Amino acid sequence: MSLSGKVAIVTGAGQGLGRAIAQELAAQSALVEIAERNRETGDETARLIRDAGGAARVNVTDVTSESSVQETVSAVIAQHDRIDILVNNAGVGQTVGPLIELSREEFDRVLAVNLTGTFLCSKWVARSMVRRESGVIVNISSLNGFAAAPLVASYNAAKAGVISLTQTMAVELAPYGVRVNAVAPGPVYTEFNRKVMQERAAFLGVTEEQMVERVRAAVPLG
C-alpha cells in the first residue's frame, strides 16, 4: 500500500495508538499532520517520523474547541490545499467508579473529547472532502462501544456514540465519495490503558498484574 502524497490528519497522535497510527501512515508515504493538545508529545511523534524518513508537522489542537479545530483544518488546507485522510483518535479515559457516584463534570469531560471531538473534527474536515468529492475518515471507537465494561459508564457511552456517529456520517457522506469507518480496538497496554488498569485494580482490591491477567483471560488468543 502506498499513500504517497496523501495528506492525513491524526488527532491525539502524541502517544500510544495515535502515535503508532501516525508513524504507519508516514511509513506509507503520507504527509502527516499531527493534531495534538500537548506540543511536547506531538513534537516527539513528529521527530520520530522525520528520523525515519517521513514527513510530519504538528498543530496544537484542542478537539473539544470548535475554533481550535477550525484553525487546524484551515492551516492544513492552506499548507496542502486538501485533506485526504482524517483519523479521529484523540480520547481520554474515565476515572474508574460506579455510575451512582459519577459526577456530571466527569461525564461531560469524557464525552467532550471522545465523542464531541470526533464530531467537530469530522464536521470541519468533511466540508473540505465534500467539495473535492473524495476522502476517508476513520474513527477510533472501542470494544466498550459494543460490550459495556462496568465502572466506566461515560467512556462506554462515548464510544458507543462514536459508532452511531460513524454510521450516520457514512450514509450522509457516501454520495460525495467520502468513506467513513470505525475501528474498535480491544485492550492495548498503552499509557492510556495502564492508568485505567491501575485504577480498576485499586477499586477491585487486586494487583495491577492480576487485573491484566483477568483481561488477558477474556481474550480468546490470550
Side-chain angles (χ1 to χ4, degrees), residues 7-205:
V7 178
I9 296 179
V10 183
T11 69
Q15 62 181 344
L17 290 181
R19 175 173 287 177
I21 291 166
Q23 288 176 302
E24 181 60 25
L25 288 169
Q28 301 301 334
S29 303
L31 306 172
V32 177
E33 293 281 348
I34 296 164
E36 168 64 51
R37 185 172 59 179
N38 185 317
R39 163 66 77 175
E40 185 176 341
T41 60
D43 283 343
E44 176 64 12
T45 298
R47 183 190 65 78
L48 291 169
I49 288 174
R50 288 193 289 264
D51 287 352
R57 196 176 69 146
V58 180
N59 306 268
V60 176
T61 311
D62 177 1
V63 298
T64 69
S65 164
E66 188 155 15
S67 61
S68 179
V69 170
Q70 284 181 268
E71 275 184 32
T72 291
V73 172
S74 296
V76 173
I77 292 174
Q79 179 76 13
H80 302 287
D81 197 39
R82 72 189 191 281
I83 299 167
D84 300 294
I85 301 162
L86 168 64
V87 181
N88 281 306
N89 165 80
V92 294
Q94 177 194 324
T95 301
V96 172
L99 173 70
I100 58 174
E101 296 176 9
L102 178 61
S103 71
R104 171 65 186 272
E105 290 74 21
E106 177 69 354
F107 187 84
D108 288 347
R109 180 185 72 87
V110 174
L111 261 70
V113 178
N114 293 292
L115 182 56
T116 305
T118 296
F119 157 67
L120 290 174
C121 293
S122 298
K123 170 186 172 180
W124 288 100
V125 170
R127 289 185 173 195
S128 168
M129 290 179 171
V130 164
R131 285 194 296 270
R132 295 182 60 247
E133 296 189 342
S134 175
V136 176
I137 298 175
V138 180
N139 299 325
I140 304 301
S141 178
S142 167
L143 287 184
N144 290 55
F146 293 102
L151 307 177
V152 283
S154 58
Y155 187 78
N156 294 338
K159 289 303 186 178
V162 168
I163 293 169
S164 179
L165 180 62
T166 300
Q167 293 168 332
T168 303
M169 290 164 55
V171 295
E172 284 195 17
L173 299 178
Y176 302 98
V178 178
R179 293 187 291 110
V180 188
N181 287 282
V183 176
V188 182
Y189 213 42
T190 59
E191 286 300 320
F192 177 100
N193 263 333
R194 183 170 287 112
K195 179 176 182 294
V196 174
M197 204 76 75
Q198 290 169 346
E199 289 182 1
R200 189 177 289 276
F203 187 89
L204 297 175

